[in-house]
Amino acid sequence: MTKPTEPAKTNRRGIVAAGLAGAVAAVAALYVIAGPNGNIAGAQSCSAALDFAAAAKPFATGEVAAFLPASAPLDLQHLTFQGPDNQQMTLSDFGGKTVLLNLWATWCAPCRKEMPALDELQAEMGDDNFEVVAVNLDRGGPEKPKDFLNEIGVGNLAFYQDSSNDLLKDLRKVARATGLPTTILVSPKGCEIGTMYGPAEWASGEAKALIKNAMAAPDA
């Protein structure tokens, strides 16, 4: 090649970067619908959670390469669903814990596939500081999803559900959870750290490293 060489290299990098960005956008378009680019009440208190997102970003690789760290404060602590005893609860009930909130249904094949990995993640990392909160969205009641979990040997996950799908609707209002599965990593104060649209191998080393490094971020 003749000089100057740098502009040519820059152009190639720009083309590659644009191609990667386009690919990511194409994947995200499968899950993300148009929605307000705003925050729900209390988002101001979530600005510090961006430190968690920044800590997680370098670890969004391999099995969790599609994980999207939060770029703006988003308060999720008022999201509502039913607990193991059919009691109404919100994410604020997990205050002090980092939560991996997973939305799934038995009619969703990718959801079914990732449940054993989520169960394994809970078995290994679940404690006073972390919990996998997998919320089932089947509309026909708890029997079918509970039978499915029993059949595949899932025994470490508590059973959470929302047959009304109001949880899904609330998340769609802030352009989240537009397809299943969707998984959101939530800070101890109920703020979004980042979101995964689509399935992931949550028991993988990459997934555990992402979660652990987010949890080890400066206090937020």
Side-chain angles (χ1 to χ4, degrees):
M1 291 181 62
T2 58
K3 292 184 178 260
T5 58
E6 286 306 311
K9 290 180 180 178
T10 301
N11 289 339
R12 285 199 298 272
R13 288 173 184 153
I15 291 171
V16 171
L20 289 173
V24 171
V27 171
L30 296 175
Y31 297 95
V32 181
I33 60 172
N37 198 19
N39 298 326
I40 61 180
Q44 292 83 356
S45 65
C46 287
S47 59
L50 298 182
D51 291 338
F52 288 116
K57 186 174 182 179
F59 297 90
T61 61
E63 296 290 344
V64 288
F67 180 84
L68 300 175
S71 59
L74 183 61
D75 186 346
L76 302 173
Q77 64 180 322
H78 301 299
L79 292 176
T80 303
F81 46 91
Q82 288 182 301
D85 298 320
N86 293 324
Q87 78 277 22
Q88 182 169 296
M89 59 189 308
T90 67
L91 273 182
S92 63
D93 293 319
F94 299 89
K97 283 187 178 183
T98 299
V99 167
L100 191 70
L101 175 68
N102 174 266
L103 306 185
W104 72 285
T106 57
W107 47 259
C108 165
C111 301
R112 294 167 67 99
K113 185 176 179 180
E114 71 177 359
M115 294 311 294
L118 289 166
D119 189 58
E120 183 179 338
L121 178 65
Q122 174 63 22
E124 181 173 331
M125 290 185 57
D127 58 18
D128 291 340
N129 298 311
F130 175 77
E131 183 171 345
V132 177
V133 177
V135 181
N136 176 263
L137 301 180
D138 281 55
R139 290 183 175 274
E143 290 79 13
K144 184 176 180 179
K146 283 186 174 181
D147 286 345
F148 166 70
L149 294 176
N150 288 333
E151 287 171 9
I152 63 172
V154 167
N156 298 296
L157 299 176
F159 185 75
Y160 300 101
Q161 64 177 324
D162 176 33
S163 59
S164 71
N165 280 197
D166 286 342
L167 172 61
L168 191 64
K169 295 171 187 175
D170 288 341
L171 282 168
R172 283 179 171 175
K173 291 176 183 176
V174 289
R176 299 294 187 278
T178 58
L180 296 182
T182 290
T183 308
I184 306 175
L185 189 59
V186 183
S187 80
K189 294 184 180 179
C191 306
E192 180 196 27
I193 296 173
T195 298
M196 170 77 79
Y197 299 106
E201 179 52 61
W202 288 106
S204 67
E206 293 98 337
K208 294 171 187 175
L210 183 148
I211 294 168
K212 289 176 182 177
N213 280 275
M215 293 173 67
D219 185 41

